[in-house]
Amino acid sequence: LNDGTTLSDVSETAPPPFFQTPDSAPTQFMSLPPTSAAKSSSDSSKWLYLIIGVMATALIALGITVFLSRNSTEKETAKTEPGVKSNENVSTTNQSNAENKTSEPPNNKSNTTAFAPPRLMPSINPNLNPAGRWSGDWTSNKAYWTATMVLNDNGGGRFAGEIYWTLQRHTNPKKSGKSGATATEYVQGTFNPATRTLSLSGYRKDDPQNVAVLDRYSLILAENNQSLGGGSKTNGRFNLSR
C-alpha cells in the first residue's frame, strides 16, 4: 500500500489481485487494515477482561477480609468463653442448690433448728425460799458430822445464819478422840431462785475444842422446797431436809 503503485478497481470476477511491478516482479496483495468493527470487538474484549479481573480481585479481597474477621471473632469468643462457662456453672449450681433446698423435707433437722420457736425461760416458783431450819449430815472420806442449819432471809436474795455441828467420827488422830464435840459456824451468802442455788461461806465460828473449820458451800434447793444438798470446798457432801 505504500509503494506508490496506482491502484485500479477490481471487479468481482477479476482474478486474484496480483500486480506487476515496473520490473515485472510479481507482488503479493497485502491484506487490508482491520476495520472499525474488528477494533470495536477487540476493545470490548479488553474491557471485559478488565472487568473480570477487577471483580476477581474484589472477590479475593472480600474473601480475605471475611477470613480474617472470622478468625478475630473466634479468638475473642475463645477468650470470653471461660468466663461465660463459669457463670453458667455458677448459675447452674445456684439453681441446683435452690432446688435441693426446696426439695428438703419439712421435718429436716436443720430447718427445725432454724425455725424452732424460742425457748421460754423457766418459770420461777415464788414459794422457793431456803430460809428456815434444816437438819442433816455432812460426810467425807475423813469425817462424819451431823448438823442443824438455821437460815434467815435478809432480803434481796441475801441469807445469813448458823450451822450447829456435832462431830461423830474423824480419821485425824487429833480429832478422833473428840467424838460428840460441838461447834457453831456462822455463814452468809446468796440465793438464785432461777437456778435454785444457795451459796454460803463461813466467816466466824464458836469452837471450844477446835474440831470444826470454816468452809464454803454450794447447795441446791429442791423443787418441792423440802430438801437442800450439795458440796463444800473441803470435798464433803452436805445433805439437809426440813
Side-chain angles (χ1 to χ4, degrees):
L1 296 177
N2 297 322
D3 60 359
T5 304
T6 302
L7 300 178
S8 61
D9 295 333
V10 179
S11 64
E12 295 179 358
T13 60
F18 286 97
F19 299 92
Q20 297 293 327
T21 60
D23 55 2
S24 299
T27 302
Q28 188 175 1
F29 178 76
M30 301 292 290
S31 62
L32 296 176
T35 62
S36 59
K39 290 183 178 179
S40 299
S41 177
S42 177
D43 292 342
S44 298
S45 298
K46 290 180 179 179
W47 281 107
L48 180 60
Y49 293 146
L50 180 61
I51 292 173
I52 293 174
V54 172
M55 292 180 65
T57 303
L59 290 175
I60 293 173
L62 179 61
I64 294 174
T65 303
V66 171
F67 178 76
L68 294 177
S69 176
R70 184 175 181 182
N71 287 344
S72 177
T73 303
E74 290 178 353
K75 290 180 179 179
E76 293 296 330
T77 304
K79 291 181 180 179
T80 58
E81 276 182 354
V84 173
K85 291 181 179 179
S86 177
N87 292 337
E88 291 177 354
N89 292 336
V90 172
S91 176
T92 303
T93 302
N94 292 338
Q95 182 178 2
S96 177
N97 291 339
E99 292 176 355
N100 291 337
K101 291 181 180 179
T102 305
S103 62
E104 286 180 355
N107 293 328
N108 186 274
K109 184 178 180 180
S110 61
N111 291 339
T112 303
T113 303
F115 299 101
R119 291 184 178 181
L120 299 177
M121 294 297 294
S123 59
I124 299 175
N125 186 353
N127 297 322
L128 292 178
N129 193 317
R133 185 181 183 89
W134 299 87
S135 299
D137 55 28
W138 182 96
T139 59
S140 72
N141 58 351
K142 293 182 179 181
Y144 172 65
W145 297 75
T146 56
T148 299
M149 181 172 66
V150 178
L151 287 178
N152 300 311
D153 188 349
N154 294 336
R158 301 192 65 83
F159 291 80
E162 303 85 25
I163 302 176
Y164 302 98
W165 295 103
T166 300
L167 178 62
Q168 300 299 323
R169 63 176 179 270
H170 207 292
T171 58
N172 188 337
K174 294 181 179 181
K175 299 179 180 181
S176 59
K178 298 180 180 180
S179 297
T182 60
T184 302
E185 181 181 8
Y186 298 90
V187 295
Q188 61 184 5
T190 59
F191 176 68
N192 185 346
T195 59
R196 308 194 312 275
T197 301
L198 176 66
S199 300
L200 297 173
S201 297
Y203 63 92
R204 184 168 62 87
K205 67 175 182 174
D206 291 333
D207 187 7
Q209 299 187 49
N210 195 24
V211 291
V213 296
L214 298 177
D215 208 347
R216 292 182 181 180
Y217 311 93
S218 180
L219 309 176
I220 301 297
L221 179 63
E223 292 182 356
N224 60 7
N225 204 35
Q226 296 300 310
S227 61
L228 187 65
S232 67
K233 185 179 179 180
T234 56
N235 298 323
R237 179 72 185 177
F238 216 172
N239 295 297
L240 301 166
S241 58
R242 292 188 186 275

